Amino acid sequence: MTQLAPRPRPGGRSPASLLPRNDPIAQLPIVILYPHSRCNCRCVMCDIWRVTTKDEVDVDAVRRWLPEWERLGVRRVVLSGGEPLLHSAFPAMCGVLHEAGIGITLLSTGLLLRRHAADVVRFVDDVVVSLDGPRHVHDRIRNIPRAYEKLADGVAAVRDTGPSVSVSGRCTVQRDNFRFMRATIQAAREIGLDRISFLAADVSSTAFNRPNGWEPERVHEVALDDDDLVALAEELNALETEYEAELSSGFVAESITKLRQRLLWYFSALRGSGNFHPIECNAPWVSTVIEVDGTVRPCFFQPSLGNVHDTGSLSSVLNSPDAIAWRRGLDTHRNEICRRCVCSLALRRSDDAVSAV
């Protein structure tokens, strides 16, 4: 069973309590693994679905990596991607991690949850599904027939099979759904999620299968304009008034202050009106991303540090002279990628949660 409970703790804490940024890295609580290269949705704010290959991480490779992960103190593996449930040996891969006592978080579109409900309940501690709004909005953004219905059915199947599994939602806020945040909270209630979290759509990085970034026209399709920002401020004000109970209880994972920082400040800064809210992040020191081809990144958005297949070990990538020099020179308040980050990780000494992944 996982050693990191999946439920976030509401309320702010001092940056002084963050896990230290030690080099070389000797302790790595979190590994984010891309088991499969493809996705089963066609969302406007992401290009992963455009991948035409069906590459996947070999289960034997995970088995070979485990001794080193155990030495590094890996406590949780976050299965991301691409859709992890597309992996041809999903139960076997999870079984290897589970037997090693490593907790598993599954990031999923939810479309295949019913098919895999038994394996999810058996091996996974924390499921985070993508929820883009109420039914008609979610289906339009996912661009998949009956996407909302399949998501709701999958969540119900997991609940019926193992009600103790945490199932939460993550809404990526962008032009097509920012007016529906309150309706998204209601949809999360109707589906039976434990909580819902909101973040802004990333429109500026090279992540999510866009190595050259987006052209301005594509950014304009997803980001908010000046009139939208006025409407977003109104939506947040109404959310604060009408959903006070959900905010105070933690059903909405972020405080209203954090939502304004994550969404209103972010999209305003993209328009050149004001600054991005400064982030506190220790992701490059306490976590790593391993992509389906073995590429190792310090987080979702920063450039590659190397390839685990080329070096033979994760530590040799993370603690190469170039990687150490890069981390020591990283100022998350000034680095352009960090300043525009929509999904930072601030893991603290007392944390029992991976709430920012």
Side-chain angles (χ1 to χ4, degrees):
M1 181 57 65
T2 179
Q3 301 175 42
L4 282 171
R7 304 183 184 279
R9 296 175 176 176
R13 285 162 290 180
S14 167
S17 67
L18 290 176
L19 285 175
R21 302 178 175 185
N22 291 332
D23 275 309
I25 291 174
Q27 292 291 315
L28 191 77
I30 302 169
V31 167
I32 301 167
L33 180 65
Y34 292 8
H36 201 279
S37 61
R38 301 190 71 181
C39 184
N40 50 7
C41 287
R42 301 169 64 86
C43 304
V44 65
M45 67 281 191
C46 177
D47 287 336
I48 292 176
W49 60 271
R50 298 179 187 272
V51 174
T52 58
T53 63
K54 296 182 180 180
D55 297 335
E56 59 183 28
V57 172
D58 189 79
V59 175
D60 286 337
V62 176
R63 191 175 286 110
R64 291 195 302 271
W65 294 337
L66 270 179
E68 182 183 27
W69 289 6
E70 291 172 335
R71 289 194 299 273
L72 287 169
V74 173
R75 291 183 283 161
R76 177 173 293 254
V77 170
V78 179
L79 302 178
S80 183
E83 170 56 63
L85 292 176
L86 288 172
H87 196 284
S88 64
F90 177 80
M93 180 176 57
C94 290
V96 168
L97 298 170
H98 188 75
E99 289 173 8
I102 295 175
I104 301 172
T105 291
L106 170 65
L107 308 186
S108 175
T109 65
L111 299 181
L112 298 176
L113 275 180
R114 173 162 288 279
R115 182 186 304 176
H116 294 279
D119 292 323
V120 168
V121 169
R122 181 181 179 187
F123 296 118
V124 175
D125 305 285
D126 183 19
V127 180
V128 183
V129 296
S130 299
L131 177 63
D132 294 309
R135 183 186 301 269
H136 71 286
V137 176
H138 182 82
D139 287 355
R140 183 174 69 243
I141 291 174
R142 293 278 130 182
N143 202 20
I144 295 293
R146 300 171 46 244
Y148 184 92
E149 179 182 337
K150 293 174 182 176
L151 168 60
D153 184 57
V155 172
V158 171
R159 294 294 193 205
D160 291 343
T161 307
S164 63
V165 176
S166 172
V167 186
S168 60
R170 170 60 60 85
C171 179
T172 301
V173 178
Q174 38 106 348
R175 171 166 285 186
D176 283 345
N177 66 358
F178 76 92
R179 299 175 188 269
F180 298 93
M181 292 181 63
R182 286 171 292 166
T184 303
I185 297 171
Q186 186 59 36
R189 285 285 194 203
E190 292 172 355
I191 290 176
L193 300 181
D194 291 318
R195 62 194 170 276
I196 181 71
S197 176
F198 295 91
L199 56 77
D202 170 52
V203 299
S204 59
S205 82
T206 57
F208 312 121
N209 191 39
R210 48 191 189 207
N212 299 316
W214 273 350
E215 296 294 328
E217 294 79 9
R218 186 75 188 281
V219 172
H220 181 70
E221 293 178 8
V222 176
L224 277 57
D225 62 23
D226 291 339
D227 290 339
D228 294 334
L229 291 173
V230 175
L232 174 60
E234 294 172 350
E235 178 70 13
L236 289 170
N237 290 340
L239 191 159
E240 181 179 18
T241 301
E242 297 174 21
Y243 286 86
E244 181 181 1
E246 285 78 5
L247 289 163
S248 61
S249 69
F251 182 78
V252 176
E254 297 83 15
S255 67
I256 192 64
T257 298
K258 190 168 185 178
L259 287 176
R260 290 190 173 108
Q261 294 168 351
R262 272 192 171 189
L263 303 175
L264 192 58
W265 287 29
Y266 172 79
F267 285 117
S268 296
L270 284 178
R271 299 287 296 171
S273 302
N275 297 318
F276 294 97
H277 187 267
I279 65 167
E280 296 295 337
C281 180
N282 55 5
W285 292 267
V286 301
S287 67
T288 194
V289 173
I290 304 177
E291 297 182 356
V292 68
D293 65 352
T295 295
V296 176
R297 296 181 184 273
C299 68
F300 288 107
F301 308 106
Q302 291 286 355
S304 168
L305 298 174
N307 191 294
V308 68
H309 296 310
D310 294 340
T311 63
S313 76
L314 181 59
S315 294
S316 61
V317 176
L318 296 178
N319 293 323
S320 71
D322 288 345
I324 292 174
W326 178 84
R327 285 192 299 271
R328 289 179 176 173
L330 180 65
D331 183 344
T332 60
H333 290 175
R334 296 179 181 272
N335 180 271
E336 194 61 24
I337 294 176
C338 292
R339 289 178 64 243
R340 294 168 174 259
C341 182
V342 299
C343 187
S344 58
L345 175 66
L347 201 64
R348 293 166 169 81
R349 299 175 189 274
S350 60
D351 262 346
D352 60 359
V354 190
S355 58
V357 173

